[in-house]
Amino acid sequence: MTAKRNARSGDEFARAERAAKFILSKTKLRPRIGLVLGSGLGAFADELSAASRIDYKKIPHFPRSTAIGHAGRLVIGKVDDVPVAAMQGRVHFYEGYSLKEVVFPMRVFARMGIRAVMLTNAAGGICRNYKQGCLVVLRDHINLQGSNPLIGPNDERFGPRFHDMTKAYWPSYREAALAEGRRLGIEIYEGVYAALTGPSYETPAEIHYLQTIGADVVGMSTVPEVIAARHMGLRVLGISCVTNMAAGILDQPITQEEVLETGERVKGQFVALLRAVIARMAEDLK
Ligand code: HPA
Protein backbone atom coordinates (compact mmCIF):
# COMPACT_ATOMS: atom_id res chain seq x y z
CA MET A 1 0.00 0.00 0.00
CA THR A 2 1.63 3.26 -1.07
CA ALA A 3 1.47 6.40 1.05
CA LYS A 4 -0.68 8.05 -1.62
CA ARG A 5 -3.23 5.22 -1.67
CA ASN A 6 -3.18 5.18 2.12
CA ALA A 7 -4.02 8.87 2.27
CA ARG A 8 -6.93 8.31 -0.09
CA SER A 9 -8.42 5.23 1.57
CA GLY A 10 -7.82 6.11 5.22
CA ASP A 11 -6.11 4.02 7.89
CA GLU A 12 -6.43 0.27 8.48
CA PHE A 13 -9.32 0.78 10.89
CA ALA A 14 -11.26 2.93 8.42
CA ARG A 15 -10.58 0.45 5.59
CA ALA A 16 -11.76 -2.46 7.74
CA GLU A 17 -14.88 -0.51 8.69
CA ARG A 18 -15.64 0.21 5.03
CA ALA A 19 -15.17 -3.43 4.01
CA ALA A 20 -17.33 -4.62 6.93
CA LYS A 21 -20.14 -2.21 6.02
CA PHE A 22 -20.02 -3.37 2.40
CA ILE A 23 -20.26 -7.04 3.44
CA LEU A 24 -23.11 -6.43 5.87
CA SER A 25 -25.01 -4.55 3.18
CA LYS A 26 -25.14 -7.81 1.16
CA THR A 27 -26.83 -9.95 3.81
CA LYS A 28 -29.40 -9.77 6.56
CA LEU A 29 -27.42 -12.23 8.67
CA ARG A 30 -25.22 -10.92 11.48
CA PRO A 31 -22.65 -13.66 12.09
CA ARG A 32 -20.72 -13.84 15.36
CA ILE A 33 -18.46 -16.67 14.12
CA GLY A 34 -15.93 -16.40 11.29
CA LEU A 35 -14.25 -19.27 9.48
CA VAL A 36 -11.18 -19.42 7.32
CA LEU A 37 -11.16 -22.50 5.09
CA GLY A 38 -7.62 -23.44 4.04
CA SER A 39 -6.13 -25.19 1.00
CA GLY A 40 -8.49 -27.82 -0.36
CA LEU A 41 -10.86 -27.35 2.63
CA GLY A 42 -13.28 -24.83 1.12
CA ALA A 43 -16.12 -27.34 0.58
CA PHE A 44 -17.66 -26.53 3.95
CA ALA A 45 -18.90 -23.19 2.59
CA ASP A 46 -21.04 -25.08 0.04
CA GLU A 47 -22.98 -26.53 2.99
CA LEU A 48 -24.27 -23.18 4.20
CA SER A 49 -27.94 -22.37 3.76
CA ALA A 50 -29.45 -18.97 2.88
CA ALA A 51 -25.99 -18.02 1.68
CA SER A 52 -24.73 -14.78 0.17
CA ARG A 53 -21.48 -15.21 -1.77
CA ILE A 54 -19.14 -12.29 -2.30
CA ASP A 55 -15.93 -12.48 -4.35
CA TYR A 56 -12.99 -10.98 -2.48
CA LYS A 57 -12.35 -8.72 -5.45
CA LYS A 58 -15.70 -6.99 -4.89
CA ILE A 59 -14.98 -6.18 -1.23
CA PRO A 60 -13.26 -2.81 -0.73
CA HIS A 61 -9.55 -3.21 0.20
CA PHE A 62 -9.82 -7.00 0.56
CA PRO A 63 -6.74 -8.97 -0.59
CA ARG A 64 -7.26 -11.50 -3.40
CA SER A 65 -6.02 -15.05 -3.04
CA THR A 66 -3.78 -16.34 -5.80
CA ALA A 67 -3.02 -19.75 -4.25
CA ILE A 68 -4.32 -22.95 -5.86
CA GLY A 69 -7.20 -24.52 -3.93
CA HIS A 70 -8.43 -21.13 -2.66
CA ALA A 71 -11.65 -19.93 -4.26
CA GLY A 72 -11.34 -16.34 -3.04
CA ARG A 73 -14.90 -15.90 -1.90
CA LEU A 74 -16.62 -14.90 1.33
CA VAL A 75 -19.77 -16.91 2.02
CA ILE A 76 -22.22 -15.75 4.66
CA GLY A 77 -24.85 -18.27 5.52
CA LYS A 78 -26.25 -20.55 8.18
CA VAL A 79 -24.96 -23.81 9.63
CA ASP A 80 -28.08 -25.32 11.10
CA ASP A 81 -29.36 -22.16 12.78
CA VAL A 82 -26.05 -20.43 13.37
CA PRO A 83 -25.03 -17.60 11.03
CA VAL A 84 -21.35 -17.69 10.03
CA ALA A 85 -19.03 -15.85 7.66
CA ALA A 86 -16.73 -18.30 5.86
CA MET A 87 -13.68 -17.36 3.83
CA GLN A 88 -13.13 -19.86 1.03
CA GLY A 89 -9.40 -19.34 0.81
CA ARG A 90 -6.99 -16.87 2.38
CA VAL A 91 -3.92 -14.94 1.31
CA HIS A 92 -0.42 -15.87 2.41
CA PHE A 93 2.82 -14.02 3.11
CA TYR A 94 4.51 -16.03 0.35
CA GLU A 95 2.15 -14.55 -2.25
CA GLY A 96 3.92 -11.24 -1.67
CA TYR A 97 1.29 -9.67 0.59
CA SER A 98 2.45 -7.85 3.71
CA LEU A 99 1.40 -9.43 7.01
CA LYS A 100 -0.94 -6.45 7.53
CA GLU A 101 -2.71 -7.40 4.29
CA VAL A 102 -2.74 -11.06 5.33
CA VAL A 103 -4.60 -10.20 8.54
CA PHE A 104 -6.91 -7.56 7.05
CA PRO A 105 -9.81 -10.07 6.82
CA MET A 106 -9.52 -10.60 10.62
CA ARG A 107 -9.81 -6.83 11.10
CA VAL A 108 -12.90 -6.85 8.89
CA PHE A 109 -14.39 -9.80 10.78
CA ALA A 110 -14.02 -7.92 14.06
CA ARG A 111 -15.60 -4.77 12.59
CA MET A 112 -18.52 -6.94 11.38
CA GLY A 113 -19.17 -7.94 14.98
CA ILE A 114 -17.55 -11.37 14.79
CA ARG A 115 -16.32 -12.57 18.18
CA ALA A 116 -14.85 -16.00 17.47
CA VAL A 117 -12.87 -17.42 14.55
CA MET A 118 -12.10 -20.93 13.42
CA LEU A 119 -8.95 -21.01 11.28
CA THR A 120 -8.22 -24.13 9.26
CA ASN A 121 -5.24 -25.07 7.17
CA ALA A 122 -3.44 -27.82 5.32
CA ALA A 123 -0.25 -28.80 7.12
CA GLY A 124 2.65 -31.22 7.07
CA GLY A 125 2.68 -33.76 9.91
CA ILE A 126 5.86 -33.79 12.00
CA CYS A 127 4.69 -35.87 14.97
CA ARG A 128 5.29 -39.50 14.06
CA ASN A 129 1.93 -40.63 15.50
CA TYR A 130 0.14 -38.64 12.81
CA LYS A 131 -1.00 -40.03 9.50
CA GLN A 132 -1.93 -38.37 6.27
CA GLY A 133 -5.56 -37.25 6.58
CA CYS A 134 -5.71 -36.92 10.36
CA LEU A 135 -6.84 -33.65 11.98
CA VAL A 136 -4.93 -31.68 14.59
CA VAL A 137 -6.52 -29.15 16.96
CA LEU A 138 -3.94 -26.46 17.61
CA ARG A 139 -2.84 -26.09 21.22
CA ASP A 140 -0.24 -23.42 20.51
CA HIS A 141 2.03 -22.13 17.77
CA ILE A 142 5.60 -21.11 16.97
CA ASN A 143 5.97 -18.09 14.72
CA LEU A 144 8.95 -18.65 12.40
CA GLN A 145 7.82 -16.27 9.67
CA GLY A 146 10.42 -13.76 10.83
CA SER A 147 7.88 -10.99 11.29
CA ASN A 148 4.64 -10.03 13.03
CA PRO A 149 1.53 -8.37 11.60
CA LEU A 150 1.46 -5.89 14.50
CA ILE A 151 4.86 -4.33 13.75
CA GLY A 152 4.45 -0.59 13.26
CA PRO A 153 2.32 1.98 15.07
CA ASN A 154 -0.38 0.40 17.22
CA ASP A 155 -4.00 1.37 16.74
CA GLU A 156 -5.58 1.16 20.20
CA ARG A 157 -9.03 0.86 18.61
CA PHE A 158 -8.01 -2.69 17.60
CA GLY A 159 -6.15 -3.64 20.75
CA PRO A 160 -3.20 -2.94 23.05
CA ARG A 161 0.44 -2.47 22.00
CA PHE A 162 1.49 -5.67 23.78
CA HIS A 163 -1.04 -8.46 24.07
CA ASP A 164 -0.99 -11.76 25.85
CA MET A 165 -0.57 -14.96 23.81
CA THR A 166 -0.48 -17.53 26.63
CA LYS A 167 -3.87 -18.96 25.72
CA ALA A 168 -4.00 -17.96 22.07
CA TYR A 169 -6.19 -20.99 21.24
CA TRP A 170 -9.35 -20.83 23.33
CA PRO A 171 -9.22 -23.78 25.76
CA SER A 172 -12.94 -24.62 25.76
CA TYR A 173 -13.01 -24.61 21.92
CA ARG A 174 -10.02 -26.97 21.84
CA GLU A 175 -11.79 -29.32 24.22
CA ALA A 176 -15.02 -29.11 22.23
CA ALA A 177 -13.24 -29.84 18.92
CA LEU A 178 -11.41 -32.84 20.35
CA ALA A 179 -14.56 -34.22 21.98
CA GLU A 180 -16.71 -33.74 18.87
CA GLY A 181 -13.98 -35.24 16.65
CA ARG A 182 -13.75 -38.34 18.85
CA ARG A 183 -17.52 -38.65 19.01
CA LEU A 184 -17.60 -38.61 15.20
CA GLY A 185 -14.92 -41.33 15.05
CA ILE A 186 -12.36 -38.99 13.43
CA GLU A 187 -8.64 -39.50 13.97
CA ILE A 188 -7.91 -36.26 15.81
CA TYR A 189 -5.03 -34.98 17.94
CA GLU A 190 -3.89 -31.84 19.67
CA GLY A 191 -0.58 -30.27 18.69
CA VAL A 192 1.68 -27.27 18.14
CA TYR A 193 1.76 -25.55 14.73
CA ALA A 194 4.95 -24.00 13.37
CA ALA A 195 4.49 -21.34 10.68
CA LEU A 196 7.22 -20.77 8.11
CA THR A 197 6.93 -18.43 5.15
CA GLY A 198 7.20 -21.02 2.36
CA PRO A 199 6.55 -21.22 -0.51
CA SER A 200 9.13 -24.00 -0.71
CA TYR A 201 8.31 -26.97 1.48
CA GLU A 202 10.84 -27.62 4.23
CA THR A 203 14.02 -29.64 4.02
CA PRO A 204 14.36 -32.78 6.18
CA ALA A 205 16.92 -30.89 8.32
CA GLU A 206 14.42 -28.08 8.90
CA ILE A 207 11.76 -30.61 9.91
CA HIS A 208 14.23 -32.22 12.31
CA TYR A 209 14.82 -28.79 13.83
CA LEU A 210 11.06 -28.12 14.11
CA GLN A 211 10.57 -31.46 15.82
CA THR A 212 13.32 -30.58 18.30
CA ILE A 213 11.74 -27.25 19.23
CA GLY A 214 8.35 -28.87 19.87
CA ALA A 215 6.34 -28.50 16.67
CA ASP A 216 3.85 -31.21 15.65
CA VAL A 217 2.63 -29.72 12.36
CA VAL A 218 4.08 -27.22 9.92
CA GLY A 219 2.46 -24.83 7.50
CA MET A 220 2.61 -21.42 5.86
CA SER A 221 -0.44 -19.62 7.29
CA THR A 222 -2.74 -19.14 10.30
CA VAL A 223 -0.25 -17.67 12.79
CA PRO A 224 -0.49 -14.03 11.58
CA GLU A 225 -4.28 -14.29 11.67
CA VAL A 226 -4.23 -15.74 15.19
CA ILE A 227 -1.97 -12.89 16.35
CA ALA A 228 -4.31 -10.25 14.89
CA ALA A 229 -7.45 -12.02 16.14
CA ARG A 230 -6.09 -12.19 19.69
CA HIS A 231 -4.98 -8.54 19.44
CA MET A 232 -8.69 -7.72 19.11
CA GLY A 233 -9.80 -10.21 21.76
CA LEU A 234 -11.46 -12.66 19.36
CA ARG A 235 -11.67 -16.26 20.53
CA VAL A 236 -9.67 -18.58 18.30
CA LEU A 237 -9.84 -22.21 17.29
CA GLY A 238 -7.24 -23.62 14.88
CA ILE A 239 -7.51 -26.95 13.07
CA SER A 240 -4.90 -28.44 10.74
CA CYS A 241 -5.55 -31.18 8.26
CA VAL A 242 -2.39 -33.25 7.86
CA THR A 243 -2.35 -33.41 4.09
CA ASN A 244 1.10 -35.02 3.97
CA MET A 245 3.79 -36.14 6.35
CA ALA A 246 6.51 -33.45 6.55
CA ALA A 247 9.77 -33.68 4.63
CA GLY A 248 12.03 -36.54 5.65
CA ILE A 249 9.43 -38.19 7.95
CA LEU A 250 8.61 -40.55 5.08
CA ASP A 251 11.10 -41.15 2.31
CA GLN A 252 9.04 -39.44 -0.36
CA PRO A 253 8.69 -36.00 -1.97
CA ILE A 254 5.79 -33.63 -1.15
CA THR A 255 3.53 -32.42 -3.91
CA GLN A 256 0.77 -29.84 -4.10
CA GLU A 257 -1.46 -32.50 -5.72
CA GLU A 258 -1.12 -34.70 -2.65
CA VAL A 259 -1.99 -31.75 -0.40
CA LEU A 260 -5.18 -30.99 -2.34
CA GLU A 261 -6.14 -34.65 -2.78
CA THR A 262 -5.96 -35.29 0.96
CA GLY A 263 -8.19 -32.25 1.60
CA GLU A 264 -10.67 -33.73 -0.86
CA ARG A 265 -10.48 -37.17 0.78
CA VAL A 266 -11.21 -35.93 4.32
CA LYS A 267 -13.91 -33.51 3.17
CA GLY A 268 -16.80 -35.49 4.69
CA GLN A 269 -15.16 -35.76 8.12
CA PHE A 270 -14.04 -32.19 8.05
CA VAL A 271 -17.51 -30.88 7.23
CA ALA A 272 -19.06 -33.02 9.99
CA LEU A 273 -16.52 -31.78 12.55
CA LEU A 274 -16.96 -28.11 11.64
CA ARG A 275 -20.73 -28.40 11.85
CA ALA A 276 -20.56 -29.95 15.33
CA VAL A 277 -17.94 -27.52 16.60
CA ILE A 278 -19.76 -24.42 15.33
CA ALA A 279 -22.82 -25.42 17.36
CA ARG A 280 -20.60 -25.62 20.47
CA MET A 281 -18.91 -22.28 19.71
CA ALA A 282 -22.30 -20.63 19.28
CA GLU A 283 -23.40 -22.06 22.66
CA ASP A 284 -20.23 -20.64 24.24
CA LEU A 285 -20.90 -17.14 22.86
CA LYS A 286 -24.43 -16.96 24.32
N1 HPA B 1 4.90 -27.93 4.85
C1 HPA B 1 4.43 -26.66 4.87
N2 HPA B 1 3.20 -26.34 4.54
C2 HPA B 1 2.37 -27.33 4.18
C3 HPA B 1 2.79 -28.66 4.12
C4 HPA B 1 4.12 -28.98 4.48
O1 HPA B 1 4.57 -30.14 4.47
N3 HPA B 1 1.71 -29.40 3.70
C5 HPA B 1 0.69 -28.52 3.52
N4 HPA B 1 1.08 -27.27 3.81
Side-chain angles (χ1 to χ4, degrees):
M1 176 76 53
T2 63
K4 208 163 150 194
R5 256 176 75 200
N6 235 333
R8 205 167 51 227
S9 56
D11 58 16
E12 195 185 4
F13 192 90
R15 289 195 296 276
E17 190 80 24
R18 198 170 304 133
K21 276 207 177 115
F22 174 85
I23 294 163
L24 293 179
S25 75
K26 304 286 175 204
T27 173
K28 288 201 174 66
L29 300 179
R30 292 294 175 262
R32 294 287 171 264
I33 297 175
L35 310 175
V36 179
L37 303 169
S39 302
L41 303 171
F44 183 73
D46 301 329
E47 303 281 311
L48 303 184
S49 59
S52 306
R53 297 185 164 75
I54 314 170
D55 285 341
Y56 294 164
K57 60 175 186 283
K58 298 251 173 69
I59 306 173
H61 318 296
F62 221 72
R64 300 171 191 192
S65 45
T66 65
I68 303 167
H70 291 249
R73 197 164 40 226
L74 179 70
V75 184
I76 300 173
K78 284 192 191 175
V79 188
D80 302 320
D81 261 344
V82 181
V84 298
M87 290 176 61
Q88 268 183 318
R90 56 155 63 81
V91 302
H92 306 79
F93 197 36
Y94 66 72
E95 292 173 76
Y97 289 103
S98 69
L99 287 180
K100 292 227 182 292
E101 290 170 309
V102 168
V103 305
F104 183 71
M106 296 301 108
R107 301 303 195 192
V108 176
F109 271 176
R111 298 315 307 150
M112 285 168 60
I114 279 175
R115 291 174 46 212
V117 288
M118 176 169 3
L119 302 160
T120 69
N121 59 55
I126 298 174
C127 175
R128 286 178 186 272
N129 297 338
Y130 298 171
K131 288 190 221 53
Q132 194 177 38
C134 76
L135 301 180
V136 181
V137 176
L138 304 189
R139 181 174 69 236
D140 204 344
H141 72 224
I142 303 172
N143 179 11
L144 293 171
Q145 294 198 323
S147 191
N148 188 300
L150 306 183
I151 288 176
N154 184 57
D155 190 332
E156 293 281 333
R157 290 172 294 178
F158 285 129
R161 170 75 291 184
F162 302 103
H163 73 278
D164 179 55
M165 289 291 284
T166 50
K167 286 191 179 144
Y169 298 84
W170 202 251
S172 63
Y173 291 179
R174 287 162 39 199
E175 272 167 37
L178 281 170
E180 293 298 334
R182 289 184 186 128
R183 187 179 63 77
L184 290 162
I186 295 172
E187 191 176 349
I188 194 161
Y189 301 91
E190 198 173 40
V192 173
Y193 178 90
L196 276 66
T197 65
S200 49
Y201 292 120
E202 302 69 35
T203 63
E206 286 165 344
I207 294 302
H208 183 247
Y209 157 73
L210 294 178
Q211 198 167 31
T212 310
I213 63 170
D216 299 299
V217 278
V218 58
M220 308 173 190
S221 68
T222 306
V223 162
E225 290 128 296
V226 174
I227 293 171
R230 292 304 299 146
H231 184 224
M232 300 178 290
L234 305 185
R235 298 176 183 182
V236 173
L237 175 65
I239 302 178
S240 289
C241 169
V242 174
T243 52
N244 56 280
M245 289 311 285
I249 301 284
L250 306 176
D251 187 23
Q252 61 190 46
I254 300 161
T255 66
Q256 169 80 4
E257 289 71 42
E258 160 186 45
V259 169
L260 296 178
E261 270 165 32
T262 309
E264 186 61 30
R265 189 160 58 76
V266 303
K267 196 161 91 179
Q269 286 188 349
F270 199 72
V271 165
L273 178 68
L274 264 53
R275 185 179 286 279
V277 173
I278 286 165
R280 301 274 300 261
M281 289 170 77
E283 237 353 87
D284 177 77
L285 287 175
K286 272 187 188 156

